[in-house]
Amino acid sequence: MENKAHALAAGLFLLLLGLALAASVAWFQGDRTARVRYTVVARSGVPGLNLKAPVKLRGVEVGWVDSIGFDPEDPRQILVGIVVDAAAPVAATTHAQLGLQGVTGLSFVSLEEPATSAPLQRAQPGARLALKPTLLDRLAESGPLLLAGFAETAERLNKLLSDDNRDQLSRTLARLDQTAADTSRLMAALQPAARELPSLLKNADGTAQQATAALREIQTLAADGRALAQDLRARAAVLDRLDAAAQQVQATSRNLELALVGDTPQRTRSVLADVSAASRSIERAAHELGEQPQSLLFGRGAQPPGPGEAGFADRLKTGAAK
């Protein structure tokens, strides 16, 4: 009986010890962290996403996927329930994306926030977060358009690389090669002229200076010419006044001669004759100065021969020929 009692006591002790160990393990392994539930709304598929898949916020794991199912109100939407640590800073503007876990093909939920400097406004528990497509999803959606564009580009390349175009391209390349060779020869021919160019520029500079000096001299001569022209105009005005005075003297002498003809004494007639001759001389001198005003500066030119003088017959012939 005593052996049975000892065995029963040992069994009870072991059972109680096991229960105590199990309770201790449950106590230490129990998760007492406060959690918040959110719902991720996906308009497209969620490939590779499973239950208990991790949920990460900016690369830090903050929860897991609790449920996956279709929206009963809109079957085109997929509702993904996630459980997130209450201390995680999930903002009202946070959105979700699917990320790949290495090369396994499995996905996890990545919570992302737009870059902003505004104060953090936490999302309410149970709020719905939009699932935005990733770069691969956008590429998959635009894949048919890309393929169509590639096909059109390939068709245009085939047309561009036709036999005729290839022949024309070959001819164009040959012409370019010939043009390059001609350009090289031209550059080689221009090198001597280029080496002489500095000296030519120096000569051109000297020529320009000489031209400037010549222009200054021309300006000086032009100023002298203008002064000479003014002097000649003044002398011409004097000659005009002299001519007018001569004509007036001649008219006066004629009037006196007419008035005194018949009963004028011989001495008065001689005086009048002298006055008339002087007036005619003044008129002739004024006429000659009017025809040759340069005689005031350069002297009187040679007079043409008169009747009986040598050269008069040649003068008459020349005048008849004209």
Side-chain angles (χ1 to χ4, degrees):
M1 292 296 292
E2 292 179 0
N3 292 335
K4 292 181 179 180
H6 290 298
L8 181 59
L12 290 175
F13 176 75
L14 292 174
L15 179 61
L16 292 175
L17 182 59
L19 291 174
L21 290 174
S24 299
V25 172
W27 174 266
F28 286 110
Q29 291 185 352
D31 189 3
R32 293 175 178 79
T33 305
R35 303 287 181 177
V36 179
R37 295 183 60 88
Y38 297 103
T39 302
V40 177
V41 180
R43 298 291 298 180
S44 58
V46 287
L49 188 63
N50 298 323
L51 295 176
K52 301 299 180 180
V55 176
K56 297 182 180 181
L57 177 61
R58 296 196 296 270
V60 179
E61 187 172 346
V62 294
W64 64 86
V65 176
D66 185 61
S67 63
I68 301 175
F70 290 99
D71 188 356
E73 297 180 359
D74 187 1
R76 292 174 297 181
Q77 294 184 156
I78 298 175
L79 302 180
V80 179
I82 59 175
V83 179
V84 179
D85 188 354
V90 179
T93 57
T94 301
H95 63 273
Q97 283 185 335
L98 292 182
L100 295 177
Q101 301 185 51
V103 295
T104 60
L106 299 178
S107 301
F108 65 92
V109 178
S110 176
L111 301 179
E112 304 291 340
E113 296 179 7
T116 178
S117 58
L120 179 64
Q121 183 179 0
R122 289 182 175 273
Q124 297 295 328
R128 290 193 170 189
L129 307 177
L131 180 67
K132 293 187 176 181
T134 61
L135 178 61
L136 294 177
D137 294 335
R138 290 194 296 269
L139 290 176
E141 290 178 359
S142 59
L145 297 177
L146 291 175
L147 291 176
F150 287 150
E152 184 178 359
T153 303
E155 184 178 359
R156 291 182 179 180
L157 285 176
N158 289 331
K159 292 181 180 179
L160 180 63
L161 297 177
S162 61
D163 295 337
D164 296 337
N165 291 339
R166 285 199 300 270
D167 295 340
Q168 185 175 1
L169 181 61
S170 299
R171 291 193 297 269
T172 302
L173 292 176
R175 291 174 182 175
L176 287 176
D177 190 11
Q178 184 179 359
T179 303
D182 294 341
T183 304
S184 299
R185 288 194 295 271
L186 179 60
M187 293 300 295
L190 289 178
Q191 284 181 357
R195 287 192 294 267
E196 296 178 359
L197 186 59
S199 60
L200 292 177
L201 291 177
K202 293 181 180 179
N203 295 333
D205 190 9
T207 304
Q209 293 177 358
Q210 295 177 359
T212 303
L215 287 176
R216 292 176 180 173
E217 293 179 359
I218 291 173
Q219 291 175 355
T220 304
L221 292 176
D224 296 340
R226 286 194 294 269
L228 180 59
Q230 292 177 358
D231 189 12
L232 290 176
R233 283 196 294 270
R235 293 177 182 272
V238 172
L239 292 177
D240 291 339
R241 289 195 296 271
L242 182 61
D243 189 13
Q247 291 178 1
Q248 185 176 2
V249 170
Q250 186 179 10
T252 303
S253 65
R254 287 177 181 175
N255 291 333
L256 289 174
E257 184 179 0
L258 291 175
L260 298 176
V261 171
D263 55 354
T264 304
Q266 185 66 28
R267 186 175 180 179
T268 304
R269 290 182 180 179
S270 62
V271 171
L272 291 176
D274 293 338
V275 172
S276 178
S279 65
R280 283 194 296 272
S281 298
I282 294 173
E283 181 181 3
R284 186 168 54 255
H287 181 70
E288 291 178 357
L289 288 175
E291 289 183 351
Q292 297 180 355
Q294 67 274 15
S295 62
L296 290 174
L297 299 176
F298 306 108
R300 186 176 179 181
Q303 296 293 328
E309 295 180 356
F312 181 73
D314 296 335
R315 177 187 174 188
L316 291 179
K317 292 179 181 180
T318 304
K322 289 183 180 181

